[in-house]
Amino acid sequence: MMDSTVPLADYAELRCVSNFTFLRGASHPEELVERAKKLGYTALAITDECSMAGVVRSHVAAKEQGLTLLIGSQFEVEAGEPLAPFTLVVIACNGNGYGNLCEFITRLRRGSAQKGCYRLCAADIDP
């Protein structure tokens, strides 16, 4: 049985999608921030898929809740045969990183023939 007097270690969720990641995320960004605060998280990273759509709402909610917000995005990467596709999570460390991430998303979205789609291959990622 766990002793309730022992404090839990700091915890930050580093991969969380909001309802802006269609067909995967169910909760509004504000709800995710509120729940993270209630659970005692020290930070929360909103990482919608190839999007920054939930950032503004989560930023406002995080300021109100006094929770550290990490801003990022995640991408499905085609690795090529014989490897399976994988998920790449990117979190911006500063304003410059935020700008680079937004530029990266824009480039992926503009390179797709269909609106709302993107394609990222492992060979397209600089190590």
Side-chain angles (χ1 to χ4, degrees):
M1 184 176 254
M2 192 168 118
D3 181 1
S4 63
T5 62
V6 177
L8 295 175
D10 289 344
Y11 181 79
E13 179 62 53
L14 299 178
R15 184 178 177 203
C16 184
V17 296
S18 73
N19 60 347
F20 285 104
T21 299
F22 302 112
L23 303 177
R24 288 193 25 227
S27 298
H28 296 284
E30 308 91 328
E31 295 168 336
L32 295 169
V33 169
E34 183 180 331
R35 183 71 177 149
K37 182 66 176 183
K38 284 182 181 174
L39 290 172
Y41 292 8
T42 57
L44 175 67
I46 299 293
T47 56
D48 285 311
E49 186 174 358
C50 197
S51 173
M52 302 295 264
V55 168
V56 173
R57 292 179 183 189
S58 56
H59 172 73
V60 171
K63 282 191 90 110
E64 290 173 357
Q65 295 287 333
L67 183 73
T68 300
L69 178 67
L70 305 172
I71 297 173
S73 189
Q74 58 183 280
F75 308 89
E76 292 302 312
V77 181
E78 298 173 14
E81 291 294 329
L83 304 172
F86 64 92
T87 301
L88 172 68
V89 177
V90 179
I91 298 174
C93 294
N94 55 36
N96 189 45
Y98 176 85
N100 289 337
L101 182 54
C102 290
E103 184 179 323
F104 183 63
I105 290 169
T106 299
R107 195 171 5 158
L108 288 175
R109 294 286 188 184
R110 289 181 72 193
S112 175
Q114 292 182 335
K115 183 178 180 177
C117 296
Y118 70 97
R119 183 168 183 226
L120 178 58
C121 299
D124 299 331
I125 303 170
D126 272 337

